Amino acid sequence: LTLTKCDLFFADKVIFLEGMAERIMLPYFFKKYDLTNEEKISSQHITVFEVGGRHAYIFQDLVNFLEIKSLTITDLDSVVGALNEKCPCDLGIEGIKTTNPTIKNWFGYENRKLLITDIKNNYLTVSSREKKFDTENSFITFQLPINETVKCGRTLEEQFLLENSEWIIENIGKLDSLSNAIQKVKKDYNGDIVCLEIETLTKEQLCKYHYEIIQKIEKSSFSLDIISLDGWKVPKYIMEGLQWLAK
């Protein structure tokens, strides 16, 4: 904090980020936001703080004390079972929950489990994810189901695939990191061996196996591939966060 983020004390707003992928892509999210919104976010004095979204709650008291409007962009981190095994964020999986301590802390679930179904039922709206304080407010955003679907990503990369599936199919030949990951997906589903092929890949396959694909990907390379191209859209949960912060 002392060596690298002293500008936090002079900023008007702050964004707490999950990790490197978000950090690489955020300036491009800003640009896309500015193209469709009158109030430009890139011209505002915003400090970006990469702390790992799982630990952003630690800084909440500090930003409240400094009277800074804050946005936390984090991951849903879905797991299942007593051993908290990583799993796709699919509401069809019984007992699926989040282990993200920032999300749990935000909604008062520090010492109990928070099911993904409870999040979907209670925290889809922007107002339900906002905290109001005496001076400035704070907002948290994370992957959420789109258009009443039962699936969403557990990470930024997964959500990007789900919301940009058509664009990815059209540009797969230019996305080397994603192409390499897709070809590594070989999994036995009830006796059926799944082997994805770039030449015949469909939107439906991309969405169905988004979790398996991202497990094979090199995240920083994926982010760099994405920002080298245009035509994709910012995931909805991040756009909601930027819209809230820009006001």
Side-chain angles (χ1 to χ4, degrees):
L1 181 65
T2 303
L3 294 176
T4 64
K5 286 299 170 189
C6 58
D7 56 337
L8 175 65
F9 297 96
F10 304 98
D12 295 322
K13 301 174 181 179
V14 61
I15 297 176
F16 293 108
L17 286 181
E18 180 74 28
M20 182 179 293
E22 288 84 354
R23 180 73 188 220
I24 291 172
M25 299 179 76
L26 189 63
Y28 297 86
F29 293 158
F30 280 6
K31 288 181 181 179
K32 286 185 175 288
Y33 177 89
D34 286 351
L35 288 174
T36 56
N37 291 273
E38 197 171 310
E39 194 164 13
K40 309 305 180 186
I41 196 169
S42 58
S43 62
Q44 300 183 25
H45 188 183
I46 300 173
T47 288
V48 179
F49 209 166
E50 186 185 329
V51 295
R54 293 176 59 84
H55 308 291
Y57 71 95
I58 296 171
F59 297 90
Q60 192 62 61
D61 288 341
L62 175 60
V63 295
N64 294 341
F65 174 75
L66 295 174
E67 300 181 359
I68 301 174
K69 190 174 186 178
S70 66
L71 165 66
T72 298
I73 301 174
T74 190
D75 284 342
L76 203 47
D77 294 333
S78 54
V79 300
V80 70
L83 299 179
N84 289 339
E85 298 178 12
K86 288 172 57 177
C87 68
C89 192
D90 185 338
L91 296 178
I93 300 175
E94 185 176 354
I96 188 172
K97 57 192 174 181
T98 178
T99 55
N100 187 307
T102 291
I103 296 176
K104 295 181 69 175
N105 179 277
W106 198 272
F107 300 119
Y109 284 78
E110 295 93 332
N111 301 313
R112 53 199 176 111
K113 66 181 179 181
L114 176 54
L115 297 176
I116 304 298
T117 52
D118 291 334
I119 293 176
K120 184 177 185 293
N121 292 335
N122 300 317
Y123 306 119
L124 284 186
T125 63
V126 170
S127 60
S128 66
R129 287 177 276 135
E130 181 182 32
K131 281 188 175 182
K132 298 184 177 182
F133 299 94
D134 293 337
T135 53
E136 286 293 356
N137 298 340
S138 296
F139 183 72
I140 189 170
T141 193
F142 41 82
Q143 299 81 19
L144 293 169
I146 304 297
N147 299 327
E148 297 301 318
T149 61
V150 298
K151 282 188 177 182
C152 65
R154 70 187 303 279
T155 63
L156 165 64
E157 295 81 7
E158 288 182 33
Q159 193 71 18
F160 188 94
L161 258 64
L162 291 171
E163 294 190 37
N164 288 278
S165 55
E166 291 183 6
W167 177 87
I168 288 172
I169 295 298
E170 293 172 1
N171 293 273
I172 193 64
K174 302 173 185 176
L175 299 167
D176 291 342
S177 60
L178 188 56
S179 296
N180 292 335
I182 288 169
Q183 294 177 88
K184 293 177 183 176
V185 174
K186 292 180 174 58
K187 191 168 182 179
D188 186 342
Y189 285 90
N190 298 321
D192 296 326
I193 303 298
V194 174
C195 296
L196 301 182
E197 301 292 343
I198 297 300
E199 296 77 10
T200 58
L201 186 70
T202 65
K203 171 186 172 181
E204 291 70 26
Q205 286 179 319
L206 189 65
C207 293
K208 183 175 182 179
Y209 302 113
H210 67 279
Y211 171 79
E212 288 80 7
I213 292 169
I214 294 304
Q215 299 307 302
K216 304 291 185 181
I217 210 163
E218 207 289 304
K219 293 190 175 185
S220 60
S221 296
F222 174 72
S223 301
L224 293 171
D225 282 347
I226 295 300
I227 64 175
S228 68
L229 301 173
D230 203 358
W232 49 270
K233 60 184 178 182
V234 180
K236 181 183 176 183
Y237 78 100
I238 292 181
M239 187 62 81
E240 281 185 348
L242 297 183
Q243 288 171 340
W244 178 90
L245 188 67
K247 297 177 182 177

